[in-house]
Amino acid sequence: MQEGFLKKFIEEERYLQNPPLKTKDFIDFCKKRGVETDEHELEFFENEGLLYPILRSENPRNSLGNHIYIPISFQNFEKDLIRQLFKENKIIDPSKVGFKPYSTFKDKELKFGNERISNYYSSFQIYWLEILKESYSFKVDLIGDKKVVRSYLTRFPLHERKISGFFTVKDFNNFGKELDKKSNNDYSKFLFDIEKKKEILKSDYILFEKILEFFLSIQEYYYPYGRSASRTISIKQDINLSSEGWWNKRRNFDPKKELKNLKINIKEISYFYWLLSKHSKDILGVKRDDWIQLWKNIALSEKDKLEGNIRLGIEYLQWALMLKKFMEDYCKRGILDIDEIGSIAPEDIVKVDPSNMNRCGLASLRNSRNEGLTDPVTGESFYLNRYKRLFYLANDFELDYQPRIMVFVEGETEEGIFPKIFECYHNKPENLGIEIVNFKGVDKLLSTSKNAKKLRNVIKNIEIEEKKLLISKNQKKILNKLVKELKKTDIIVSNWTSFINYNLEKWQIIPFFVSDNEGNVKHFLDTEEPIQFEGKNYNVPDEWKYLWGETNKNEPYKGNNFELANFSDEEIVLAINQVLDGQIDINEVKKIREQEEGIKKIDDRVTGETKRKIVKFMFDNLFKQYEETADESILKRPIFELVDKILDLAILNHLPVDRTVESRNKEIILDILNGKEVKN
């Protein structure tokens, strides 16, 4: 490393966000990512001058009695100790001193805690270690009569260009002879002569160390961005909010000044960003679509549970995200994302303005994203709208974390039985993008201002009937003023209707109302304009509601509520008697049907949980009869007509994967609200 680099690394605490790893920890880190290594290998590569630890430390001893050595962990609480060890020349750069066998680092008199000197590696060195291991190995293919021996050499930083050569042997007795031939051949010498290969690797290692110094220099400010997911930034050890806090250090960091100090230019960083992006895509098996965007938005705590080559791909993805943020700070604008640069020359990445790709004349995934994420009417871009991007991404992968339809029912009976009906008739509603919500009666949907008007009218009517004032003229003025103010502030909907309208406007979740056909509900849905969409109020269209008795035109049974509209007198009597162990007379059911009452009028016990059991028996009996007879006419009930209507809505409500689909959906919603015919 450059002279003075370690001093700056220690004094400016550029290790806290990505602490150096002790040899054992680095080995474990590599193994988890599919790169097998051990202390013997690392010692060999250091002795060859091909891979040095980033630092070596003499470990302080425990003075409390047992005098064991305690390696430092480069955590926040050790900052003063680390500075002191460096001042005392007990933390050094191993590349600046002669090689020492690792066996000399241990105190043989101690059985435990005997590591008096520790080597520390950076997680970034796994990149170079992978190149070394492949370069120092032969791959032998034993298929067929002849054995094929292959050798590889990957040039840094041209990691996308893997050079290979091979020779064949009939048996391994001839291996040495054939290897000598290849090693002495001028064309294949660099692949099979290990000394020649070592010369090339040493030359490339100098270039790698330049990039490594860059990573070590910026990791304190940018490593959290690689470790982050969609909505969080993962900062380690930011335990104070003083001027030394991470955010303040981050704001004061100057990318251009750092590159100048390191004698490196932005084109080199741009190339390595391109290279890491390619590696991560190759390892993760990403060739197209938004798979990289999906990986980016998964929490690191979940990604970190992965192992092997996939975890290595995630590691390279994290590094690429680091570089992306650094380059954006350098350019003072956004740059192309990891999966958008495949067709762009590395040196052009910092030249291209992602928001205006068409002017650049370049073909890229970003072109189609800019188009798909731009409102076709207003021209507003949603590319940087994280929530909207996640919404589109989830829809594109059919993760369906949002429902397509919210079915609002009036009571607990419907809320409990509807999911079971959906499941028996078709599938679980949640699997179809349908959510059942109990709004507990139409009164919950009325607005604040309308309720205030009702109160005023009640007081006025009582005064007329009693022929006397109930409240003073002054109080009446206050009440009138309150009604006016509520109306003026446009409190036209309740919390429920605010919730409904927000979901419709923001996420295109269609509200569907299922209710008894009685005065208040019908009046509210048909005349109170409870739907607000794009600044206008609308009544609930027929496509989005089902009123028992009205929608099904009292066929096959007369009834303005759920039970009477769907079941015959005999079926209702049977279910009630099954639950209550009684003998309800069928004439009582006929009577409430004529009087347009509910089944709870039959018996005081028909309420709450008992009513829900009765309704369950009604459907159990119905499905049992269908299973026994296979008579399709048994299922010709309004409830199944309703289920089909909701299913059609859910199927046709295509959750948007981009702004174009979302705009088209909104056009369809407006057509429905305005009573126009919708062509699918």
Side-chain angles (χ1 to χ4, degrees):
M1 288 190 283
Q2 291 185 45
E3 201 67 43
F5 177 82
L6 187 58
K7 181 175 187 293
K8 186 175 183 178
F9 182 73
I10 297 294
E11 291 182 350
E12 296 185 7
E13 301 162 7
R14 298 198 179 190
Y15 51 80
L16 293 176
Q17 297 304 319
N18 184 32
L21 300 169
K22 275 177 48 184
T23 301
K24 181 182 180 304
D25 296 331
F26 179 65
I27 291 169
D28 291 342
F29 174 90
C30 293
K31 285 183 177 179
K32 184 176 180 180
R33 288 152 181 80
V35 180
E36 294 288 333
T37 190
D38 54 34
E39 190 174 282
H40 171 73
E41 270 191 0
L42 296 175
E43 183 178 25
F44 171 80
F45 286 134
E46 182 182 343
N47 190 27
E48 294 290 297
L50 290 171
L51 177 62
Y52 291 101
I54 62 168
L55 59 88
R56 181 172 293 152
S57 170
E58 292 184 29
N59 296 322
R61 302 192 73 166
N62 183 350
S63 59
L64 297 179
N66 52 16
H67 299 291
I68 63 172
Y69 295 93
I70 305 174
I72 53 177
S73 56
F74 287 88
Q75 303 299 318
N76 192 73
F77 63 88
E78 295 178 315
K79 291 189 293 187
D80 292 338
L81 172 62
I82 292 166
R83 284 196 187 94
Q84 184 63 32
L85 290 172
F86 180 74
K87 285 180 181 178
E88 294 173 359
N89 207 32
K90 292 180 178 179
I91 292 180
I92 61 169
D93 177 356
S95 66
K96 299 291 192 289
V97 297
F99 172 77
K100 290 185 179 181
Y102 287 6
S103 58
T104 63
F105 295 167
K106 294 184 178 180
D107 190 329
K108 296 179 180 178
E109 295 179 3
L110 292 173
K111 190 172 183 180
F112 301 105
N114 61 353
E115 192 174 284
R116 61 185 186 85
I117 295 176
S118 295
N119 282 331
Y120 290 84
Y121 292 84
S122 166
S123 59
F124 301 118
Q125 289 177 288
I126 190 175
Y127 188 95
W128 179 250
L129 178 62
E130 189 185 21
I131 292 175
L132 287 180
K133 284 182 64 65
E134 188 172 57
S135 299
Y136 266 77
S137 304
F138 289 120
K139 183 180 178 182
V140 181
D141 187 347
L142 300 176
I143 299 173
D145 296 333
K146 293 183 178 180
K147 283 71 177 171
V148 179
V149 181
R150 299 183 186 277
S151 179
Y152 297 93
L153 177 63
T154 300
R155 299 300 308 272
F156 183 86
L158 305 176
H159 199 161
E160 86 281 6
R161 283 173 51 196
K162 186 182 292 186
I163 308 167
S164 66
F166 71 92
F167 62 86
T168 60
V169 292
K170 288 186 177 180
D171 57 64
F172 285 113
N173 292 327
N174 296 324
F175 177 80
K177 183 179 178 182
E178 292 298 326
L179 180 60
D180 285 342
K181 283 184 184 179
K182 285 288 184 180
S183 298
N184 292 316
N185 186 304
D186 289 340
Y187 294 103
S188 57
K189 189 180 184 70
F190 70 99
L191 280 171
F192 293 97
D193 184 338
I194 195 63
E195 291 301 320
K196 182 63 178 176
K197 185 182 279 190
K198 186 165 64 176
E199 286 179 24
I200 296 170
L201 289 169
K202 278 189 174 183
S203 174
D204 287 353
Y205 183 48
I206 295 171
L207 299 176
F208 172 75
E209 283 227 308
K210 187 178 181 182
I211 291 295
L212 176 62
E213 286 183 23
F214 168 76
F215 269 105
L216 293 173
S217 295
I218 72 163
Q219 66 178 10
E220 182 62 20
Y221 315 100
Y222 293 95
Y223 198 75
Y225 292 100
R227 235 179 8 227
S228 303
S230 61
R231 301 181 183 182
T232 58
I233 179 167
S234 179
I235 303 168
K236 283 187 179 180
Q237 313 256 344
D238 192 27
I239 61 173
N240 63 72
L241 298 175
S242 68
S243 59
E244 293 183 5
W246 182 84
W247 282 106
N248 285 317
K249 290 202 300 185
R250 168 77 181 81
R251 279 191 290 269
N252 293 327
F253 180 77
D254 186 342
K256 292 185 177 181
K257 183 179 178 182
E258 195 66 29
L259 289 184
K260 184 178 180 182
N261 291 338
L262 291 169
K263 299 180 176 63
I264 195 167
N265 63 62
I266 194 64
K267 286 185 178 180
E268 293 174 90
I269 306 307
S270 183
Y271 180 81
F272 209 61
Y273 171 60
W274 182 88
L275 195 60
L276 285 172
S277 299
K278 182 181 185 301
H279 290 338
S280 63
K281 288 187 293 182
D282 289 346
I283 294 173
L284 295 174
V286 176
K287 297 299 179 186
R288 59 185 182 86
D289 297 327
D290 284 334
W291 277 100
I292 281 291
Q293 300 304 317
L294 185 64
W295 278 114
K296 279 171 56 178
N297 284 288
I298 297 172
L300 181 61
S301 59
E302 296 303 314
K303 290 186 285 198
D304 204 35
K305 295 173 184 175
L306 299 169
E307 294 187 3
N309 207 40
I310 292 295
R311 185 62 186 87
L312 183 62
I314 295 296
E315 196 70 26
Y316 291 159
L317 175 62
Q318 291 174 227
W319 300 359
L321 290 171
M322 269 181 67
L323 295 187
K324 179 177 185 292
K325 185 61 179 173
F326 175 88
M327 293 165 68
E328 286 176 337
D329 286 352
Y330 179 91
C331 298
K332 295 183 178 179
R333 59 166 170 78
I335 67 165
L336 292 172
D337 208 345
I338 291 163
D339 55 354
E340 298 172 343
I341 58 177
S343 59
I344 307 293
E347 62 271 17
D348 289 333
I349 294 173
V350 291
K351 300 176 185 176
V352 172
D353 180 359
S355 63
N356 206 351
M357 290 291 292
N358 291 330
R359 277 179 57 185
C360 303
L362 296 168
S364 167
L365 176 60
R366 186 58 175 266
N367 292 79
S368 59
R369 281 182 178 159
N370 284 344
E371 183 178 344
L373 294 169
T374 299
D375 190 304
V377 178
T378 66
E380 180 185 3
S381 173
F382 285 82
Y383 188 90
L384 299 178
N385 186 324
R386 179 166 286 176
Y387 292 105
K388 193 65 96 171
R389 288 283 304 277
L390 281 175
F391 177 56
Y392 293 151
L393 186 65
N395 293 340
D396 197 19
F397 281 91
E398 296 188 4
L399 298 178
D400 283 352
Y401 76 100
Q402 296 265 38
R404 300 177 184 216
I405 309 290
M406 275 191 178
V407 180
F408 292 90
V409 297
E410 276 197 278
E412 293 178 354
T413 302
E414 292 91 333
E415 182 184 24
I417 199 67
F418 269 34
K420 294 181 175 64
I421 297 169
F422 269 93
E423 188 172 355
C424 290
Y425 186 62
H426 197 284
N427 199 342
K428 290 182 178 181
E430 59 266 30
N431 294 341
L432 303 165
I434 298 165
E435 185 172 351
I436 312 297
V437 181
N438 178 12
F439 65 84
K440 300 179 181 179
V442 71
D443 288 342
K444 303 295 189 298
L445 297 173
L446 294 177
S447 72
T448 308
S449 60
K450 288 187 171 96
N451 277 320
K453 282 182 183 179
K454 278 188 171 184
L455 175 61
R456 182 177 64 180
N457 291 336
V458 167
I459 293 172
K460 185 178 179 180
N461 290 334
I462 293 174
E463 286 180 338
I464 292 172
E465 289 175 7
E466 297 294 326
K467 297 180 179 179
K468 64 179 182 180
L469 293 176
L470 293 179
I471 59 177
S472 67
K473 290 183 178 180
N474 187 48
Q475 292 299 322
K476 198 170 285 189
K477 283 182 180 179
I478 294 173
L479 180 58
N480 288 334
K481 184 178 179 182
L482 176 61
V483 172
K484 283 184 179 180
E485 288 298 321
L486 288 171
K487 189 174 182 181
K488 190 186 299 181
T489 53
D490 200 28
I491 306 179
I492 62 166
V493 290
S494 67
N495 288 338
W496 268 117
T497 43
S498 295
F499 169 71
I500 291 167
N501 293 330
Y502 174 80
N503 280 326
L504 178 62
E505 185 91 48
K506 184 78 172 177
W507 308 117
Q508 296 169 13
I509 301 172
I510 292 175
F512 191 98
F513 297 89
V514 181
S515 179
D516 296 347
N517 181 20
E518 51 90 12
N520 283 346
V521 175
K522 182 173 174 55
H523 178 77
F524 174 78
L525 298 178
D526 291 348
T527 66
E528 293 288 337
E529 298 184 336
I531 301 293
Q532 188 178 74
F533 190 73
E534 296 203 336
K536 291 185 179 181
N537 297 327
Y538 300 89
N539 292 319
V540 178
D542 290 339
E543 292 90 339
W544 294 357
K545 66 186 177 187
Y546 201 101
L547 299 181
W548 302 117
E550 179 178 284
T551 306
N552 60 297
K553 299 177 182 177
N554 281 317
E555 294 291 341
Y557 308 111
K558 178 183 178 182
N560 65 353
N561 57 65
F562 174 50
E563 297 82 17
L564 293 178
N566 286 286
F567 296 94
S568 68
D569 297 342
E570 292 80 9
E571 289 167 339
I572 293 172
V573 167
L574 175 61
I576 293 176
N577 287 335
Q578 284 175 305
V579 175
L580 298 182
D581 295 324
Q583 293 297 320
I584 299 297
D585 192 290
I586 196 169
N587 290 320
E588 294 181 57
V589 179
K590 292 180 183 294
K591 181 180 177 182
I592 65 163
R593 194 183 291 278
E594 288 302 319
Q595 293 176 348
E596 297 186 341
E597 299 283 359
I599 63 171
K600 62 184 178 181
K601 289 289 184 178
I602 295 174
D603 192 298
D604 290 340
R605 292 173 293 172
V606 183
T607 183
E609 184 61 31
T610 301
K611 184 186 177 188
R612 289 193 285 277
K613 285 183 180 178
I614 291 170
V615 173
K616 183 178 183 301
F617 268 99
M618 289 180 188
F619 279 100
D620 287 346
N621 294 338
L622 187 70
F623 285 122
K624 183 180 179 182
Q625 184 184 359
Y626 175 74
E627 288 174 2
E628 291 173 350
T629 64
D631 183 357
E632 293 291 337
S633 66
I634 292 172
L635 299 183
K636 292 189 182 300
R637 311 284 173 116
I639 182 62
F640 301 117
E641 179 188 348
L642 167 64
V643 168
D644 286 336
K645 187 173 183 178
I646 294 171
L647 285 174
D648 287 344
L649 264 182
I651 292 169
L652 295 175
N653 183 19
H654 305 292
L655 291 179
V657 297
D658 58 34
R659 191 62 181 166
T660 303
V661 177
E662 184 174 2
S663 296
R664 173 58 184 147
N665 286 353
K666 287 190 172 185
E667 289 175 12
I668 293 172
I669 289 171
L670 280 172
D671 285 346
I672 292 172
L673 291 173
N674 287 306
K676 296 180 181 179
E677 183 181 354
V678 177
K679 295 180 181 179
N680 296 316

